[in-house]
Amino acid sequence: MEERYMKVCVVGTGYVGLTTGVSLAFLGHQVTCVDLDQQKVDMLNGGRCPIYEPGMDDLLAEAAPNLTFTTSYTDAVPGADVVFVAVQTPSAPDGSPDLRYLRSAAESVAQNLDHSFTVVVNKSTVPIGSGNWVDAILRESFAQRAERPAGCEFSVASNPEFLREGNAIHDTLFPDRIVIGSDNPRSLEVLNQLYRPIINQTFTAPSFSPRPDDIGAVPLVSTDLASAELIKYAANAFLALKISYANEIGQLAAKVGADITEVTRGMGLDQRIGSRFLQAGVGWGGSCFGKDTRALIATAAEYNYSMPIVQAAREVNERQRLIAVERLQDELRILKGRKIGLLGIAFKPNTDDLRDSPSLDIANLLLARGARVRLHDPIAGERFRREQPALAPYLSESLDDLFDDCDAVVLVTEWAQYLELDWSKFVGLMRTPILLDGRHVLDADRMARLGYKYLAIAG
Ligand code: UGA
């Protein structure tokens, strides 16, 4: 199939929307991104990226000739072959996703459609059935327009996103697969065309994100709407439960005197299991696994169905955060008045995202038990101060401040900076050199040689 460049609109410039827009512009498509936040739009038009994501500034610069940011749907939707909707879908109190932003985006899109055929794509992780729901909103809003352009046709598709924060560009340009759900063959054809350069890997890879040696043609899974929507939830929940399984085995390993790192290595070499997402530790955080497992359970409940495996994965994950605190309590006996330093606030390395970060829960649990907490992060400090005002006074700007007179330090986020730390320098600053490795990433023997009392979550 010959490659053809298209006119694309992306609604929402969060992680998913921004990466989608910038990547498609980098591939040669004409992209306009809409966001209602004027400050964000100004920043992006000035070439500055509002989120911390490795390589995004560079990709933004390379894509600039094909890329515009605006607050106006009228500047973005008319004439688009494809409109991606990538707005946030936060959890409502009962665990179901709050679809307010999705509704209002769909209404605004419908008010501005004027092309002969536009594919409206749900890119956000939306509940199963949302494709039909968005289709109904589009039709309703379109019907209410005073003037309806002749020949305007549209169809809704689902194209779930599988990128990881911190690896967003790599995951978008070199994905394991592309999933497209639609009940309309014409939409499938348009999206197939849009993604041709990725499917065939015909573009020149950016210097800061080289093409992996072993990548071939990227598989395209084209399916119906509901299946595409379920694939996203099923994949995230599976990854979440894989980690929780490693953590559950980790606690048993500690009891029977086994080494969880060896156990997961031995398991992961079985290709049916695979080695990734078996790293035991304080557990998963971020904006996706917690929200998506909750949403899956909420959807099942609507059908009077329960999902005990997914529920168990959530419970094990919550327990891991408590186990970190209990490990410290077992060691120090009394937590009241102790100074505990937490290394890492972001939910994982290479991002400044704090959503559902284990560090925040561990800090709150320790504070509730009377400990004096300090937190440090190489990148997320500023965002932490802004988003977590109640915990902000406990931020340490420097590692000296964190380690000074500390009773125990916990490695919560495995930033490269911490792995490469001059650990020998800091041990002397501590009151008692207890080191809890919350990710099983440090060399226990080396740490012991340096004078630390090394503890692991499972060990
Ligand atoms: C996750 C999925 O990996 C993406 O495929 C998906 O697109 C995304 O959610 C989404 O739905 O938007 P993300 O939340 O960015 O991506 O981060 P991950 O790299 O998956 O890490 C999630 C959490 O699991 C982190 O807290 C990480 O520290 C933890 N983790 C990961 C472990 O505890 N052990 C592991 O072995 C791997």
Side-chain angles (χ1 to χ4, degrees):
M1 192 188 280
E2 201 189 309
E3 288 181 7
R4 181 169 76 81
Y5 296 118
M6 296 191 171
K7 195 163 179 258
V8 177
C9 162
V10 180
V11 181
T13 57
Y15 279 97
V16 169
L18 186 61
T19 313
T20 304
V22 179
S23 303
L24 289 172
F26 168 77
L27 295 174
H29 298 296
Q30 282 303 320
V31 180
T32 308
C33 297
V34 195
D35 200 296
L36 298 182
D37 183 340
Q38 180 75 56
Q39 222 182 338
K40 216 168 162 188
V41 165
D42 291 345
M43 209 174 158
L44 285 160
N45 276 327
R48 282 169 300 128
C49 182
I51 50 171
Y52 175 81
E53 180 62 41
M56 191 60 87
D57 282 330
D58 296 321
L59 199 69
L60 201 53
E62 291 206 21
N66 298 332
L67 187 59
T68 321
F69 296 92
T70 177
T71 53
S72 157
Y73 280 86
T74 312
D75 291 346
V77 176
D81 298 292
V82 183
V83 176
F84 284 100
V85 182
V87 293
Q88 73 263 51
T89 52
S91 283
D94 67 350
S96 65
D98 176 351
L99 299 179
R100 241 177 312 170
Y101 303 100
L102 187 59
R103 168 183 279 278
S104 105
E107 285 168 353
S108 303
V109 169
Q111 293 304 311
N112 287 283
L113 286 169
D114 83 337
H115 198 260
S116 57
F117 182 70
T118 308
V119 187
V120 179
V121 184
N122 267 344
K123 190 84 181 157
S124 315
T125 304
V126 292
I128 298 142
S130 297
N132 294 342
W133 183 73
V134 167
D135 187 71
I137 294 172
L138 286 170
R139 284 182 201 288
E140 241 167 63
S141 305
F142 187 75
Q144 283 163 7
R145 282 172 65 170
E147 281 176 43
R148 289 184 291 278
C152 175
E153 277 183 73
F154 52 87
S155 152
V156 173
S158 161
N159 170 218
E161 180 53 66
F162 300 105
L163 68 82
R164 291 161 297 167
E165 290 180 18
N167 292 282
I169 294 169
H170 177 278
D171 290 352
T172 304
L173 295 179
F174 312 114
D176 290 339
R177 78 298 207 189
I178 291 175
V179 174
I180 297 173
S182 171
D183 302 325
N184 179 324
R186 208 165 154 196
S187 301
L188 290 175
E189 205 178 296
V190 170
L191 293 174
N192 196 333
Q193 185 77 54
L194 183 83
Y195 283 123
R196 269 297 104 188
I198 294 184
I199 293 169
N200 293 339
Q201 289 291 304
T202 44
F203 61 92
T204 306
S207 55
F208 46 86
S209 187
R211 175 171 284 114
D213 292 335
D214 55 353
I215 194 169
V218 172
L220 174 72
V221 180
S222 43
T223 179
D224 58 280
L225 266 173
S227 301
E229 290 167 347
L230 183 53
I231 285 171
K232 169 70 194 203
Y233 282 105
N236 266 3
F238 186 79
L239 293 170
L241 71 89
K242 200 173 174 193
I243 299 167
S244 281
Y245 182 72
N247 282 328
E248 188 173 290
I249 294 290
Q251 292 311 303
L252 182 64
K255 292 190 194 303
V256 302
D259 176 344
I260 184 60
T261 312
E262 291 299 313
V263 173
T264 48
R265 197 167 74 90
M267 283 169 63
L269 286 167
D270 182 331
Q271 289 188 9
R272 292 167 303 172
I273 298 174
S275 59
R276 296 165 77 191
F277 281 68
L278 275 183
Q279 190 190 348
V282 290
W284 38 265
S287 66
C288 307
F289 290 173
K291 183 162 76 73
D292 294 353
T293 48
R294 262 184 105 184
L296 205 51
I297 291 168
T299 300
E302 286 174 22
Y303 292 84
N304 205 16
Y305 184 65
S306 66
M307 303 200 79
I309 295 180
V310 180
Q311 181 58 35
R314 290 176 56 80
E315 285 163 17
V316 168
N317 196 56
E318 258 172 56
R319 193 169 71 180
Q320 286 308 105
R321 298 174 185 199
L322 194 59
I323 285 173
V325 174
E326 283 171 353
R327 276 308 265 126
L328 294 171
Q329 188 161 291
D330 285 348
E331 204 55 39
L332 291 162
R333 299 290 166 199
I334 288 171
L335 286 175
K336 249 186 218 42
R338 305 282 197 187
K339 178 176 171 186
I340 315 280
L342 304 184
L343 290 174
I345 314 177
F347 82 94
K348 66 170 185 175
N350 298 324
T351 179
D352 63 351
D353 197 338
L354 307 172
R355 285 174 288 179
D356 195 21
S357 175
S359 221
L360 304 178
D361 264 0
I362 294 171
N364 282 320
L365 288 166
L366 286 168
L367 286 168
R369 293 181 190 204
R372 292 178 299 131
V373 174
R374 305 298 294 170
L375 300 103
H376 178 271
D377 195 280
I379 294 288
E382 198 188 308
R383 190 156 168 187
F384 171 68
R385 205 172 300 140
R386 219 171 41 238
E387 293 181 3
Q388 295 288 328
L391 285 175
Y394 307 110
L395 179 69
S396 271
E397 296 289 353
S398 73
L399 287 168
D400 284 306
D401 177 64
L402 182 123
F403 275 89
D404 185 44
D405 208 29
C406 219
D407 291 287
V409 162
V410 188
L411 177 68
V412 188
T413 315
E414 67 280 32
W415 282 97
Q417 181 183 340
Y418 298 145
L419 305 188
E420 292 150 14
L421 204 66
D422 182 359
W423 288 92
S424 62
K425 173 183 153 193
F426 292 103
V427 68
L429 295 181
M430 296 181 72
R431 205 152 82 99
T432 46
I434 294 170
L435 171 61
L436 174 58
D437 182 353
R439 296 288 179 181
H440 297 267
V441 285
L442 297 169
D443 180 337
D445 293 338
R446 179 170 164 256
M447 291 300 146
R449 273 199 306 280
L450 293 177
Y452 288 96
K453 170 131 202 216
Y454 177 88
L455 311 173
I457 292 288

